Amino acid sequence: MDYEEIENRKFVKKFKLEELILSNIDNLVLHNVFIEDEILIDNVRTDSIEFDTMITLGAKEYHINQDILKEIYTSIRFFVEVVATDTEFDLNKILTNLEGRIESVEKIKYLEKKHKDLYSQVKNEPEYLVYAEIKEFNGFENWEELIIESLKGEVDFIQKYLTSDIEMSDVPKEILSIWVKYYTIKAQIDFCKEQINKLKNTKQKSGLVDTSLQIFLLEEIINIKDWSIISATKKGEILSHLLGKNKDNIKKIYLELEKKISENSEKLLSDRKQADEIIKKLLG
């Protein structure tokens, strides 16, 4: 996040508590604390009697400036991401567990289970789905919208923000606790996905064989006498070096080729036909 926003807040320390009263509403409008809306009154409305995020006085309605709520949102985000959490500790625990596993397959299995366990903690919480930008909830498209709506019920906290520096202990406990929980879990989930992708990409790259080596391997295979009598297992081992594919998968294909054509799968028959057509087209 851009922490310069914390330093460039417009409203902090601008007001004394006694200035946040209804009789001072014109001055609060002048200083952009409230936005004034003229309203048509069909029925007699009761005037507000204390500071709130929506005030009615006479024929007018006043709404708290959204910029104030956005600034408070940014301040809480700072507390969550910098002060209240230590995701580095959680991520290092995941890395330590990865180091205990040598094979990439085992590492990926561990990360996938960790991802599943973490997600299971929050998958039924609609607020998390908003936080993680998975889906909307109650009309809220993102986390900022949801928190800003929640802040409208925290009048004492807003007054504290407008009159003095706020501390983490001032943040409404329900908002802070759920935000810390989601931030901590999402950081680990994202880390697991990142490591899984990295391991899979590394695995794919490690399976690739240099082009010149592939050509030499191919020439050696062409010169092998009685290739047809070599076992499917050996063919799998040999061709895995040429193709960079799993030897067991190659073996399975050769075992199927040893069957009668009528017993071959539709996929194998289609691939055989396609291979014949490619060679005929190229060699005439």
Side-chain angles (χ1 to χ4, degrees), residues 11 30 49 75 96 111 119 138 160 194 216 242 264 280:
F11 298 97
L30 183 66
I49 58 174
S75 298
T96 301
L111 288 167
Y119 187 63
N138 279 357
K160 179 76 182 286
E194 176 187 318
F216 287 126
L242 173 66
N264 289 164
K280 286 178 182 177

Side-chain angles (χ1 to χ4, degrees), residues 7 13 31 35 48 50 93 121 135 143 156 161-162 172 191 198 201 224 233 242 250 252 259:
E7 302 299 325
K13 288 188 174 180
H31 286 86
I35 306 298
S48 299
E50 60 186 10
K93 280 179 64 178
Q121 297 177 38
K135 64 183 296 187
W143 188 244
D156 291 341
Y161 182 86
L162 290 170
F191 184 73
K198 189 181 295 185
N201 288 336
I224 292 177
T233 300
L242 173 66
I250 297 172
K252 287 178 183 177
K259 299 176 183 178

Side-chain angles (χ1 to χ4, degrees), residues 94-114 192 195-196 199:
I94 295 175
L95 281 175
T96 301
N97 283 318
L98 280 183
E99 286 299 316
R101 293 162 171 79
I102 297 175
E103 297 292 333
S104 292
V105 173
E106 293 304 314
K107 291 178 185 286
I108 291 172
K109 282 182 180 178
Y110 162 73
L111 288 167
E112 288 177 338
K113 184 179 185 306
K114 182 68 175 177
C192 287
Q195 293 301 311
I196 288 170
L199 284 165

Side-chain angles (χ1 to χ4, degrees), residues 264-279:
N264 289 164
S265 66
E266 290 184 11
K267 174 71 168 58
L268 192 67
L269 292 172
S270 175
D271 288 344
R272 186 201 294 269
K273 181 180 179 182
Q274 187 177 354
D276 288 342
E277 290 173 351
I278 290 173
I279 296 301

